[in-house]
Amino acid sequence: MDVIDYQIFGSDMQYIEVELDPGEAAVGEAGMMMFMQDGVEMDTVFGDGSQQGGLFGKLLGAGKRLLTGESLFTTVFHNEAAAKRRIAFAAPYPGKIVPIHLADIGGTLICQKDSFLCAAKGVSLGIALQRRLGAGLFGGEGFIMQKLEGDGWAFVHAGGTLVERTLAPGEVLRVDTGCVVAFQPQVDFDIKFVGKIKSALFGGEGLFFATLRGPGKIWLQSLPLSRLASRLMVAAPAAGGASSSLLGGTALGGLLGGDDE
């Protein structure tokens, strides 16, 4: 497992700079690279980029990524220079980058599929199957979540404001299903019905919520990507480019100025 140094910059739209010693490498999710210094080489590899040997290991890593909805390939950035070099990865939307040293939490982290940003080379990107039917069908992430394994640094992204909590044994926290970013594998994750039909239909919080039962550490986000996307869709102009509001900028401009068609 490569040992890397890093710095996180920014407040709402963060990016992370990873410092690589000569010969060291980092694994990044496709499309997350921001910049890299001269001497850093980029390779697209089959599988999850971990140090699994042989064709079978590569096929296994690729299959895991395919099941989690990611690409069959991973990008590995390695320092071929004689001095330290830096590479930066940017968060895809407003939020916080969460650095997690896997060795400090037992070597395994369960996270939602689109939260992984980058990691030290050697971290294995696997899958975690939901053991309960309810969690798989209504948990917002389906039956499959991502599992990060190793003893190095891994970095995940949380939308909005980040909440880190350590649950005591038996302590239960009820959470909106989209707000769960990651948790330790000993945390029990399940889905519960809200309990009342009136609340389910008119409460605006959906039919189900997630229950997290300790012991273990959890990471939550205040702005799930699905919530952000739904608000943007509601605010976006209707089909054809016109505003859905009569007094909206586009519609009002059209009424006053006319169209040149």
Side-chain angles (χ1 to χ4, degrees):
M1 191 76 60
D2 285 1
V3 180
I4 59 175
D5 298 316
Y6 70 92
Q7 284 182 283
I8 296 175
F9 298 89
S11 56
D12 295 326
M13 286 295 295
Q14 293 188 326
Y15 72 94
I16 178 173
E17 286 189 19
V18 175
E19 185 178 76
L20 301 175
D21 291 333
E24 286 185 342
V27 180
E29 192 57 83
M32 298 300 182
M33 192 274 289
M34 180 179 177
F35 68 82
M36 56 184 176
Q37 290 184 317
D38 184 46
V40 176
E41 299 294 335
M42 180 177 67
D43 286 332
T44 300
V45 299
F46 188 66
D48 63 359
S50 64
Q51 296 170 340
Q52 298 180 14
L55 178 61
F56 178 76
K58 294 179 180 179
L59 289 173
L60 182 62
K64 290 176 180 179
R65 287 182 55 78
L66 186 63
L67 287 173
T68 56
E70 305 293 346
S71 169
L72 286 172
F73 299 89
T74 304
T75 306
V76 178
F77 303 87
H78 47 94
N79 183 8
E80 298 297 328
K84 294 182 178 182
R85 290 292 184 265
R86 284 180 168 251
I87 179 171
F89 300 91
Y93 57 95
K96 302 296 181 183
I97 296 175
V98 189
I100 301 173
H101 195 230
L102 296 177
D104 296 338
I105 62 168
T108 302
L109 180 72
I110 309 298
C111 60
Q112 60 172 285
K113 292 177 291 186
D114 59 354
S115 64
F116 173 71
L117 188 63
C118 60
K121 186 178 180 182
V123 172
S124 174
L125 313 179
I127 59 174
L129 297 176
Q130 297 292 353
R131 294 171 296 176
R132 293 186 174 90
L133 180 63
L137 293 177
F138 309 110
E141 293 299 327
F143 286 101
I144 300 173
M145 298 183 73
Q146 200 164 46
K147 179 167 64 174
L148 307 180
E149 294 180 290
D151 57 10
W153 284 102
F155 305 93
V156 298
H157 179 256
T161 301
L162 171 70
V163 177
E164 296 185 22
R165 293 192 58 167
T166 300
L167 301 179
E171 181 182 0
V172 177
L173 192 66
R174 292 179 288 183
V175 184
D176 181 272
T177 55
C179 291
V180 178
V181 176
F183 51 88
Q184 289 182 277
Q186 63 265 32
V187 173
D188 183 72
F189 175 77
D190 199 5
I191 296 298
K192 299 292 185 182
F193 180 62
V194 295
K196 298 179 180 179
I197 298 296
K198 183 179 180 181
S199 298
L201 294 179
F202 307 108
E205 300 299 331
L207 298 175
F208 303 90
F209 53 75
T211 61
L212 300 169
R213 182 184 300 272
K217 193 169 185 178
I218 63 173
W219 291 262
L220 308 177
Q221 60 186 357
S222 66
L223 182 62
L225 178 58
S226 58
R227 184 179 298 175
L228 175 62
S230 65
R231 293 300 177 91
L232 291 175
M233 290 182 64
V234 170
S243 172
S244 58
S245 171
L246 181 62
L247 297 181
T250 303
L252 186 59
L255 288 174
L256 296 178
D259 293 324
D260 296 328
E261 295 179 2

